[in-house]
Amino acid sequence: MRLGRVASPDGVAFVAIEGEEGAETAREIAEHPFGDPTFTGRTWALSETRLLAPILATKVICIGKNYADHAAEMGGPPPEDPVIFLKPNTSIIGPGVPIVRPPSSTRVDYEGELAIVIGRPCKDVAAAKAASVILGYTVANDVTARDQQKADGQWTRGKGYDSFCPLGPWIETALDPSDLAISTTLDGETKQSSRTSLMLHGVGEIVEWISRVMTLLPGDVILTGTPAGIGPMVAGQTVSVTVEGIGTLTNPVVDK
């Protein structure tokens, strides 16, 4: 099932997105998409709605240097254990919403990633049981003010600006994340191309590691790391991240 969040002619709603590409319908979900969702009976043509970020996360947890080639391009060995950091939920935007480059940064980078969406409250989840707490997967761009990340020695400022966590276009609940193609294009030119099978720490291990530290809540988002090929974006460009089996997340870039 594809779960999304839309601005419809009748307001903002969670929806199930059904039908063939180009002729999809959005079926309104009552209340929330967790568990076994119930439906209100209202539907719209997806083309008559505007896709929003598919979830409003309590927190966004990210994995750093989870591809060996990216660790190498950052100038260090891959970490033995997952390295986690947080982005504020105010950094989340949806498809088509501009990524805003702050005037205090001289370099703002794209980082295409697979994102996990948690489906129920959980703590101390074994890797083998991770699938039981996952609602589904979406596409993410871990936008980073690279100069500030390096200058600060920790990543909160460089990762935390408003608009620095595009998510979308929807959540795919029926997906095996173990070996999916992932790519990023900038103005149509491919900049990143890899597969999730090359992650150093897989989805189960990531959920286990994080849930040992903190309780995960429904709607929490986990960004699983970016492959090599990161680079800067400037105003007027458009960045797209595609994950096989989910779709493409596209955002323009503007200066504040």
Side-chain angles (χ1 to χ4, degrees):
M1 180 182 293
R2 282 182 170 174
L3 301 172
R5 191 168 146 267
V6 300
S8 76
D10 301 299
V12 174
F14 285 109
V15 296
I17 298 165
E18 302 169 342
E20 298 296 323
E21 184 176 356
E24 299 100 330
T25 59
R27 189 155 63 116
E28 186 179 37
I29 294 171
E31 297 182 353
H32 60 73
F34 306 108
D36 294 320
T38 58
F39 296 90
T40 66
R42 292 199 294 188
T43 63
W44 307 276
L46 186 62
S47 60
E48 296 176 353
T49 71
R50 179 168 57 88
L51 283 167
L52 307 174
I55 202 71
L56 295 173
T58 300
K59 53 186 175 290
V60 180
I61 312 104
C62 309
I63 304 295
K65 300 182 180 179
N66 199 28
Y67 289 77
D69 56 1
H70 174 57
E73 76 177 348
M74 293 297 288
E80 182 176 343
D81 294 320
V83 174
I84 60 176
F85 61 93
L86 296 172
K87 292 173 84 84
N89 57 10
T90 47
S91 66
I92 294 173
I93 57 173
V97 177
I99 295 166
V100 181
R101 290 169 21 110
S104 59
S105 175
T106 59
R107 176 171 168 171
V108 174
D109 285 8
Y110 54 80
E111 294 189 13
E113 310 200 7
L114 171 72
I116 304 164
V117 182
I118 297 298
R120 64 181 180 85
C122 59
K123 183 78 168 71
D124 297 322
V125 181
K129 299 290 183 67
S132 69
V133 304
I134 293 172
L135 175 66
Y137 302 88
T138 191
V139 183
N141 190 343
D142 177 19
V143 180
T144 305
R146 191 70 62 198
D147 54 336
Q148 295 178 5
Q149 179 190 30
K150 292 179 179 179
D152 293 355
Q154 51 84 21
W155 302 353
T156 303
R157 180 170 67 129
K159 300 278 191 177
Y161 285 95
D162 290 356
S163 81
F164 271 27
C165 188
L167 295 177
W170 40 61
I171 298 164
E172 178 59 66
T173 64
L175 189 70
D176 178 353
S178 60
D179 186 25
L180 303 173
I182 179 170
S183 62
T184 303
T185 65
L186 189 65
D187 286 345
E189 180 182 352
T190 299
K191 297 294 188 179
Q192 294 182 289
S193 181
S194 189
R195 302 195 68 86
T196 58
S197 56
L198 297 176
M199 290 194 299
L200 298 171
H201 308 286
V203 166
E205 185 182 354
I206 288 169
V207 172
E208 179 178 74
W209 183 267
I210 294 172
S211 68
R212 286 176 179 171
V213 178
M214 64 189 78
T215 298
L216 295 171
L217 300 175
D220 280 353
V221 173
I222 300 173
L223 274 54
T224 60
T226 195
I230 60 169
M233 306 174 289
V234 298
Q237 293 186 305
T238 299
V239 60
S240 296
V241 183
T242 301
V243 176
E244 180 183 4
I246 303 175
T248 299
L249 169 66
T250 298
N251 298 89
V253 182
V254 302
D255 284 336
K256 186 173 181 179

